[in-house]
Amino acid sequence: QVQVVESGGGLVQPGGSLRLTCTASGRIFSRYAMAWYRQAPGKQRELVAAVTSDGSLNYVDSVRGRFTISRDNGKNTVYLQMNSLKPEDTAVYYCKATIGTMTVQAYWGQGTQVTVAS
């Protein structure tokens, strides 16, 4: 069983920055695909950013150029650096670890609240 834990959320001003951290247990972390999702009240959960096991990066259009996902396989950790934050970035952010190729298993963290407001 893979344990996924997020941290780093909080209240920030528009235009500010925040870095989220996610750790996932396992001896083969480098093989996991890692992703950040977010969900605002009354809205569908959406994929924000993802990094595959081979290092390929993907971002939702609304955050491209402002957010950066990265991973440190030696620490079993993935980060989401969020810059130029906007009020519409306010949401609960979730980390997901995906393991497998033909047969996929997904593990979710508990979420961390990000609020962007003056």
Side-chain angles (χ1 to χ4, degrees):
Q1 182 72 30
V2 176
Q3 303 290 130
V4 180
V5 180
E6 308 98 329
S7 63
L11 173 64
V12 297
Q13 298 181 39
S17 297
L18 199 65
R19 188 179 75 163
L20 305 184
T21 299
C22 172
T23 59
S25 65
R27 291 172 54 84
I28 55 169
F29 177 84
S30 63
R31 293 182 178 270
Y32 301 171
M34 302 297 298
W36 288 96
Y37 288 73
R38 68 186 180 187
Q39 187 166 26
K43 293 186 171 62
Q44 192 78 26
R45 186 173 299 186
E46 67 171 348
L47 176 65
V48 178
V51 55
T52 67
S53 59
D54 65 1
S56 297
L57 306 176
N58 289 285
Y59 299 93
V60 68
D61 288 345
S62 60
V63 310
R64 188 172 290 111
R66 299 188 296 120
F67 291 10
T68 302
I69 187 170
S70 61
R71 65 191 300 162
D72 185 338
N73 291 336
K75 297 181 178 179
N76 277 31
T77 298
V78 64
Y79 304 96
L80 185 66
Q81 179 65 48
M82 304 184 293
N83 299 325
S84 302
L85 282 162
K86 304 174 180 179
E88 52 262 45
D89 295 318
T90 296
V92 177
Y93 284 70
Y94 298 90
C95 183
K96 184 181 78 171
T98 303
I99 302 96
T101 52
M102 292 186 294
T103 301
V104 176
Q105 300 180 77
Y107 300 88
W108 292 86
Q110 78 291 158
T112 185
Q113 176 72 47
V114 172
T115 302
V116 185
S118 299

